[in-house]
Amino acid sequence: MDEKKYAKLEQSITPKPPILKNVIKAFLVGGTICLIAQFIALFYMTFFNFTERTASNPTVATMIFISMLLTGFGLYKKIGQLGGAGASVPITGFGNAVVSAAIEHKSEGYVLGVGGNIFKLAGSVILYGVFSAFLVALVKTILVKLGVVSW
Amino acid sequence: MFSIFITSFIVGGLICVIGQLMFDVAKMTPAHTLCTLVVAGSILDGFGLYEPLIDFAGTGATIPITSFGNALTHGALAEAEKHGLIGVLTGMFEVTSSGISAAILFGFIASFIFKPKGNI
Amino acid sequence: MVMKGLLTFPSTPSIAATGVTAGPLEKKSPFHVNFDKMFDDERCGMKTNEQGHAKLMEDAIMIALSKVDKVPSDADFLLAGDLVNQMTPSNFSATTVGIPYIGLFSACATSVSSILLAALLTESGMSKLAVAGSSSQHNAIERQFRYPIEYGTQKGDTSQWTVTAAGAAAITPYQEGVPCIERGTFGKAVDMGMTDPLNMGAAMAPAAADTLMRHLSGHNASASDYDLIMTGDLSKVGFSIFKKMVGNQGIKDFQNFSDAGEEYYGGLPEFKAGASGAGCSASIYFSEIYKKMMEKEYKRVLLIATGALLSPLSYQQGDTIPCIAHAVELTMK
């Protein structure tokens, strides 16, 4: 049996991911996380001196704090299993990636273990976020200078 | 005012649906998916489209990881607008995200408190 | 003289005793009643997962030896392996017990490759008492091969759960009243171009099929000669593919076929396709199967342990997953 024939056999037996079910779960879990964040934003706007715009920073920080607790108590991986991308795409998933790597590697010490591995999963997101921000800003600035677009 | 709770849920959910389709249909790993979404958020801000989305959906646009690309690009663009091409560079050293700072802080704190559990 | 990886043991070395240890989650396994020792803590009371992993193996070795009233200094060889980098858990357990040690890596097929090598040493007269075994610890293996334990990723229906368990067997020259090792087959590394580390069963199935067919044709046996043919950790998906593959090569009746990984957790949905890990096959072979042979429920069994020979580096570099399967034939006279 060659590789192509085997791939065919393998694909006929391996179960396909239940896409519709996964998509619905991702929608509900992701939407719920954003909804909870909206209540937290409302809290900051009502009780502290924040506007709709400036409330975003403390809201994100609060969500990551909640994510830390859920990760530490072993619950975020259950949300992840249920929600898929609904749990990884929100900023809580970013927090989970950082926190899970940090607690995983504490056995190798706080410098080599936690320090060296805390961005093991989240590092690529930071890299591409910063680099794409640089590129987009550069391109847009050049286009503005050339008079193609305006700010 | 309260319509933002509905739009937040729907827009946030839909961004997650895009992520799920990238997992299941495009067979991308979580890392590849999240990087792509961050770059997408950055490009959307380049076209000036992300801020209107935040006005429309509130946390539905600021909580998904796409907002991270938006926040960084927005900071860089603000500097570029003031100082031109030099501003793109200096802007890069000023931009930051509350997400990264909070994750570093809480991640480190968590490493003092918690241990991974192998439960299911 | 049979060759090309095929082994026969005219003196039929015996498996005089076995020892099996497991972690807390393995209480969900219907087989746990036959395990010798269950830990309530996944680190087995140690500081790190890797130390707990070594403790699992060490206790399994000590239990197997104590059942034949021996101490480690009576043993001639220890053959053991696991999946952690450079097999440090097995190395540390070997340091503690102090038996002359050969570390083996056949991934999750180490349970059988260690028995085969111990039987060869016994057959040659160089060993009167050898201990063979393998082990895995969920947290230690997951963090190495996949993600941190607490990372919230969605596991698909093809993914398998690495068990926390260890199995060890004490192998001696022929003794009456215990299962003995008659024949065996070392597998070839088979690579069918699979790349998904979350679908290991599909990668390993061709290796298992290859070893089974080579064993049967090389030893002039047929599948119906056995009371049981048990693969290691193909689990639901891999086991279906395996049956399809050997079905295409003439085997029609699968009544006596089963897979340790598929049955390990009794089909509980949270474990998805089933179990995997070097401790998966070892802990079933050396508890459930061994016990049923002692009770003469099974007189002749063929155990085919399967292993995926990948590393996190190799799959990140885009390489395919080579796999291996080793077979050992046990009989109860």
Side-chain angles (χ1 to χ4, degrees):
Chain A
M1 187 176 267
D2 61 5
E3 286 187 11
K4 261 189 198 149
K5 260 193 188 156
Y6 181 69
K8 228 178 185 177
L9 171 72
E10 186 260 328
Q11 272 159 24
S12 71
I13 292 176
T14 299
K16 301 276 166 291
I19 293 175
L20 185 68
K21 210 169 104 191
N22 284 353
V23 159
I24 293 170
K25 287 194 288 189
F27 180 77
L28 294 178
V29 171
T32 305
I33 291 173
C34 294
L35 188 61
I36 292 169
Q38 192 66 54
F39 280 105
I40 292 170
L42 182 70
F43 166 80
Y44 281 116
M45 285 185 275
T46 317
F47 296 102
F48 297 92
N49 203 11
F50 285 104
T51 67
E52 245 176 74
R53 269 304 151 89
T54 54
S56 165
N57 279 345
T59 305
V60 163
T62 310
M63 290 305 281
I64 289 179
F65 179 75
I66 295 170
S67 166
M68 172 192 90
L69 293 180
L70 292 174
T71 305
F73 289 112
L75 297 170
Y76 205 88
K77 62 175 180 275
K78 295 181 187 185
I79 302 174
Q81 179 62 38
L82 173 75
S88 7
V89 171
I91 199 82
T92 46
F94 180 80
N96 168 249
V98 172
V99 173
S100 66
I103 61 178
E104 187 65 57
H105 289 279
K106 73 189 267 192
S107 67
E108 294 108 284
Y110 284 100
V111 175
L112 298 177
V114 177
N117 292 287
I118 193 165
F119 289 121
K120 199 170 120 177
L121 298 168
S124 57
V125 169
I126 299 177
L127 165 65
Y128 284 99
V130 170
F131 189 68
S132 69
F134 172 72
L135 271 193
V136 167
L138 186 70
V139 170
K140 189 159 182 180
T141 309
I142 292 172
L143 289 180
V144 170
K145 295 270 178 224
L146 294 175
V148 183
V149 292
S150 63
W151 296 110
Chain B
M1 166 82 201
F2 284 96
S3 69
I4 198 144
F5 286 89
I6 298 164
T7 50
S8 163
F9 182 86
I10 291 174
V11 171
L14 284 178
I15 295 175
C16 294
V17 165
I18 295 170
Q20 188 69 37
L21 290 174
M22 290 162 81
F23 284 1
D24 287 349
V25 180
K27 306 271 175 219
M28 291 163 78
T29 67
H32 284 89
T33 303
L34 296 179
C35 288
T36 311
L37 287 174
V38 164
V39 173
S42 170
I43 293 172
L44 281 178
D45 190 57
F47 287 106
L49 297 172
Y50 209 89
E51 294 295 312
L53 189 67
I54 295 177
D55 292 332
F56 176 66
T59 51
T62 57
I63 290 298
I65 198 79
T66 41
S67 79
F68 177 55
N70 165 61
L72 295 176
T73 310
H74 213 69
L77 282 174
E79 283 289 305
E81 201 171 342
K82 268 189 260 165
H83 307 296
L85 277 176
I86 294 294
V88 177
L89 270 180
T90 57
M92 288 318 297
F93 305 120
E94 286 193 19
V95 294
T96 181
S97 148
S98 54
I100 297 181
S101 314
I104 292 175
L105 182 65
F106 295 134
F108 193 53
I109 292 172
S111 74
F112 290 105
I113 310 170
F114 298 109
K115 265 194 168 185
K117 298 171 186 54
N119 60 349
I120 197 161
Chain C
M1 196 80 175
V2 202
M3 281 201 283
K4 298 261 191 298
L6 300 159
L7 305 166
T8 47
F9 302 102
S11 76
T12 60
S14 287
I15 301 182
T18 59
V20 169
T21 54
L25 208 61
E26 282 58 39
K27 286 201 178 81
K28 294 192 181 193
S29 167
F31 302 110
H32 83 270
V33 285
N34 294 320
F35 295 168
D36 296 298
K37 183 172 182 181
M38 307 281 302
F39 288 94
D40 291 325
D41 160 35
E42 60 215 350
R43 291 181 191 80
C44 310
M46 310 301 278
K47 225 175 87 200
T48 66
N49 290 312
E50 287 73 11
Q51 286 170 359
H53 193 333
K55 175 83 176 151
L56 274 174
M57 190 68 232
E58 182 192 321
D59 283 15
I61 295 167
M62 296 305 284
I63 290 165
L65 286 172
S66 72
K67 284 189 191 165
V68 286
D69 293 320
K70 299 284 184 194
V71 290
S73 56
D74 298 327
D76 301 309
F77 290 101
L78 169 66
L79 300 108
D82 58 74
L83 300 165
V84 173
N85 287 330
Q86 286 78 40
M87 304 187 304
T88 49
S90 295
N91 301 346
F92 284 118
S93 67
T95 318
T96 320
V97 295
I99 306 171
Y101 164 61
I102 308 169
L104 296 175
F105 184 81
S106 300
C108 311
T110 309
S111 55
V112 168
S113 65
S114 63
I115 296 183
L116 288 177
L117 284 168
L120 276 171
L121 289 167
T122 311
E123 181 77 31
S124 72
M126 300 284 172
S127 169
K128 295 280 169 254
L129 174 63
V131 183
S134 63
S135 56
S136 57
Q137 201 264 10
H138 179 84
N139 294 11
I141 307 304
E142 286 300 312
R143 67 177 271 177
Q144 177 180 315
F145 281 91
R146 299 184 184 97
Y147 295 108
I149 299 302
E150 296 300 341
Y151 183 56
T153 179
Q154 197 170 36
K155 287 193 171 86
D157 291 333
T158 59
S159 69
Q160 294 170 242
W161 184 271
T162 307
V163 302
T164 299
I171 289 154
T172 62
Y174 178 71
Q175 286 183 26
E176 268 189 35
V178 288
C180 54
I181 303 158
E182 253 191 33
R183 301 189 282 205
T185 300
F186 276 111
K188 297 179 191 168
V190 176
D191 189 338
M192 276 296 181
M194 294 288 112
T195 50
D196 185 359
L198 293 171
N199 189 3
M200 301 288 239
M204 296 190 289
D210 181 70
T211 300
L212 173 66
M213 298 321 290
R214 281 178 50 229
H215 184 89
L216 294 181
S217 65
H219 293 299
N220 288 321
S222 86
S224 54
D225 296 348
Y226 300 94
D227 298 313
L228 178 75
I229 296 177
M230 191 180 233
T231 46
D233 53 0
L234 296 177
S235 286
K236 272 176 208 154
V237 179
F239 190 49
S240 306
I241 299 174
F242 166 73
K243 284 192 284 189
K244 185 100 183 162
M245 287 185 83
V246 296
N248 289 343
Q249 297 176 63
I251 291 169
K252 292 287 165 259
D253 184 15
F254 294 105
Q255 284 229 314
N256 54 342
F257 279 68
S258 75
D259 178 71
E262 184 180 21
E263 296 186 6
Y264 203 96
Y265 292 110
L268 285 175
E270 62 262 40
F271 296 97
K272 301 295 170 188
S276 68
C280 167
S281 54
S283 59
I284 297 289
Y285 293 170
F286 299 156
S287 64
E288 179 80 8
I289 308 303
Y290 187 79
K291 184 171 158 257
K292 286 195 170 161
M293 292 200 81
M294 292 291 278
E295 292 165 354
K296 304 220 161 105
E297 193 180 332
Y298 296 146
K299 291 245 170 76
R300 182 178 291 272
V301 302
L302 182 63
L303 305 175
I304 309 172
T306 46
L309 305 174
L310 82 167
S311 83
L313 185 71
S314 73
Y315 79 74
Q316 279 174 12
Q317 290 179 339
D319 285 326
T320 50
I321 303 171
C323 294
I324 195 139
H326 300 302
V328 64
E329 186 174 326
L330 304 181
T331 52
M332 187 70 191
K333 285 183 185 158

